[in-house]
Amino acid sequence: MPEVEYATTMPLGRPQIWEFVKDMNNWAPFVTGYQGHEIIDDTDSIWTLKGDVGILSRTVKLRAHITEWIDQERVTFTLTGLNEKVDGGGVLVMTDDAPATGDDGADADAAPAPTRRRRWFGRRFLDWLFRRMFRRMHGEAPKRLTGPIGAVRSRLSFTLRMDAGGPTGPLVNAMLAPALEPAAEELANKIAAHLERVHLGGDAGAADDAAAA
Amino acid sequence: MWFRKSKPWHLDTDVVVVGTGAAGATAALAAHAGKARVVVLDKSEKFGGTTAVSGGVVWVPNNRHMAEVGIEDSFDAALAYVTRLADGRSDPAMIRRYLAAAPEMIEFVEGATPVAFKALARYPDYHPEFEGGRPGGRSLDPGLFDTNQLGAWKDKLRRSPVFGMTAMSVSEATDWGVFSKPSALPFGVLAKRFKQGLVCYGGALAGGLLKALLDRGLEPKLGTAVHELIVEDDRVAGVRAEHDGKELLIRARRGVVLASGGFEWNAELVGRFLGGPLTHPNSPPGNDGDGLRMAMALGADLGNMSEAWWCPSLVIPGEDYDGRQLHRGDFATRSLPHTIIVNRAGQRFVNEAHNYNDMMKAFFAFDPVSYQRPNLPAWIVLDAQYLARYALLTYVPGMPVPEWLVKADTLDELAAAIGVDARGLAATVARFNRFAVEGADPDFHRGESLYDHFYGDPEHGQNPNLGTIEQGPFYAIQVHPGAIGTKGGPRIDGDARVLRVGGEAIPGLYAAGNVAAGVTGAGYPGAGATIGAAMTFGYLAGRHAAAQPGAK
């Protein structure tokens, strides 16, 4: 059964990542070959993906079923092919990564450090986001933020496995295998890039929202 | 036509070959063997043209491999056979030239490339019962090719959307019962071969040709589109090409060989020339008639313009190839038991198992009173017995029934779903079922030819092509007019030189393959007749061009 895992880190706390990841509408367009999805209920959805199988592009419909949902930690799901004999699943895991170690609080491997102006907007946005989340969860404003943005890092890993069944299974799996790793990598990296852009600068809309807040 | 005036050449060579299918690659190798400097161009970013997506079989009567499988042949037998099939649409001298030169071409290619052909003893000519036809042996299988031999060029070899993932030679496909016993195919072996980088069919042939070019230092310039032929002193002196948005003037001192494929993806040219409404070509989308237009601009005479290598096509919505909807040629579904093809009246109108080129012409029948083509649209109708035993495009027994099949519990419901006359369909199926039980089809003679049997189920009852349609659910899929490629274009002579109106050769201009007027006229003599003629005239073109003194 072809299975891949890809992980990326980002200078954000798990709450920021979770706020985005917990709603699949946010990151669905980042899935490789995404054509559309339909949410059935809290745990089930149907995804239409167009993916390269070997040489040509095929449209595949998959039913995703969430089997585990742990706030700010992980989402585990299964996949069942509706128009192809293929099954699989995966898990998105968020963990705390080692804190930033540089003199300026930034990891040498991290994305380019935000400019002062950008950090200011990003900081304001995250303050706003945190306050909003806190209000939603506790019904009152937080006393103060827990720490400076950039001092926390989180790791987002994405594990994906697919297994084609039926008589052609071995052949289809051989074709799927090379496609899975780029798919996992693309999803994790796009989520990370989006979150960093929104929280740490570069997204005018987010900056405006933050300023308005 | 384009006159260079005072612009300097960017590149100076002896022979420019436009296109990297079997015709172009063979022309390049032949020209190189003749001590010419050669530049090979292709507008695609992939090597191999239509050949690479094809079955890769080469039809060569009287080839030396036939003796290895115990089948005798002769020039005269092949001449009688091809002449009948050409139906008066090809110059008899050109048929002779093809048949005489093709065996020599095969020996040249086997000597120049890693390709080792094998005669397909059980792959019959497409009319094996006609005078001069043969039950097998004329179609040559290129076997398998290891793409790792291509090094950095491995990923530049075009892969077939249909055959590109299942590396089995045509011989193996025949032995393994690829049509009649799909569930028994060794998918584990095929997976291993896929991981190893082995390819088959047209990929194997194109891969072998590319390897030979690379071994000679002839790296094709991919992504290079030729827009016009450059004429100087009344001869073709080079081409105006484009690469990465930059103009490229390439001098060809001894000649330009057009091997750029047909015009099947050019709706305007299709509408203007073809005898039927070709809507679903099976080739790469780049075949848009650019070579034809360039030859016409120099006053080339044209031939065989209404013909194509017709092929009924099926569609799985959402399958893309090179950014366009993929049209899959259908070779077996319509030939296996438990299927028929009907028109909107619910009536059969052709031997469904007949060869794809000739049977397609029945789709174009024209009713002068209603001014309609009664056999378009048309549908393949099948039943649950079929899906229990046989493959259909990407479906293999044991998989979910594809959503792209129209499904109904009764024939009446199926007829309503596809817009076919229900009473007509019921009567047709009842009549066909009687034929299936009796094992004979007096209406259309399905299953009488050895050719029909090749695509049938040899273990099915009295007739490998006939089976009842009686067990629901019932299914249908539309059959579209398709073609592997067109085969009309500039007329050429025995050295593949392009002819002007009046018969005079245009100095410095050659054509081979689907860009040129097809030597087999209306007919499709056997598997690989496309590539066989393409490689033969490519070989003749390259050899002749290399032998020219060359412009100073």
Side-chain angles (χ1 to χ4, degrees), chain B residues 468-530:
Chain B
T468 57
I469 299 171
E470 58 183 342
Q471 291 183 17
F474 300 92
Y475 304 93
I477 183 169
Q478 189 171 354
V479 191
H480 302 276
I484 291 166
T486 53
K487 54 175 169 175
R491 291 181 58 228
I492 56 175
D493 68 7
D495 291 313
R497 295 183 299 176
V498 173
L499 303 176
R500 286 197 177 98
V501 176
E504 178 192 0
I506 298 174
L509 186 60
Y510 300 80
N514 287 348
V515 70
V519 68
T520 60
Y524 204 141
T530 48

Side-chain angles (χ1 to χ4, degrees), chain A residues 50 52-61 81-86 165-178, chain B residues 159-162 164-166 183 187-188 190-191 194-195 316-321 326 328 394 396-400 402-403:
Chain A
K50 194 163 191 172
D52 291 335
V53 183
I55 297 152
L56 51 83
S57 288
R58 294 266 290 276
T59 301
V60 182
K61 282 190 175 174
L82 298 180
N83 63 341
E84 301 281 350
K85 197 150 188 165
V86 61
T168 61
L171 180 59
V172 176
N173 282 335
M175 293 184 283
L176 275 175
Chain B
R159 307 297 171 90
S160 163
V162 180
M165 294 166 277
T166 50
S183 299
F187 287 105
L190 297 176
F194 178 81
K195 291 176 187 171
I316 297 176
E319 269 195 332
D320 288 356
Y321 182 71
L326 175 66
R328 292 173 174 261
T394 56
V396 174
M399 297 172 71
E403 61 186 3

Side-chain angles (χ1 to χ4, degrees), chain B residues 367-549:
Chain B
D367 176 8
V369 176
S370 66
Y371 223 74
Q372 289 182 333
R373 291 187 170 88
N375 298 332
L376 286 174
W379 299 78
I380 296 179
V381 171
L382 53 133
D383 74 353
Q385 296 178 87
Y386 180 98
L387 291 188
R389 291 176 175 81
Y390 309 120
L392 203 173
L393 304 181
T394 56
Y395 167 84
V396 174
M399 297 172 71
V401 173
E403 61 186 3
W404 36 264
L405 275 177
V406 180
K407 177 183 176 183
D409 289 334
T410 67
L411 280 171
D412 278 358
E413 290 168 1
L414 187 73
I418 60 178
V420 164
D421 181 74
R423 292 177 63 184
L425 180 62
T428 296
V429 169
R431 182 175 174 83
F432 180 79
N433 285 349
R434 287 200 302 275
F435 295 166
V437 170
E438 293 163 2
D441 171 22
D443 285 351
F444 297 102
H445 309 285
R446 177 168 166 178
E448 291 182 11
S449 170
L450 193 59
Y451 172 85
D452 298 4
H453 296 181
F454 182 77
Y455 286 99
D457 180 355
E459 297 176 7
H460 174 80
Q462 331 175 40
N463 188 318
N465 304 104
L466 297 180
T468 57
I469 299 171
E470 58 183 342
Q471 291 183 17
F474 300 92
Y475 304 93
I477 183 169
Q478 189 171 354
V479 191
H480 302 276
I484 291 166
T486 53
K487 54 175 169 175
R491 291 181 58 228
I492 56 175
D493 68 7
D495 291 313
R497 295 183 299 176
V498 173
L499 303 176
R500 286 197 177 98
V501 176
E504 178 192 0
I506 298 174
L509 186 60
Y510 300 80
N514 287 348
V515 70
V519 68
T520 60
Y524 204 141
T530 48
I531 298 176
M535 293 175 74
T536 300
F537 286 102
Y539 166 70
L540 294 170
R543 191 176 71 172
H544 190 271
Q548 300 311 298

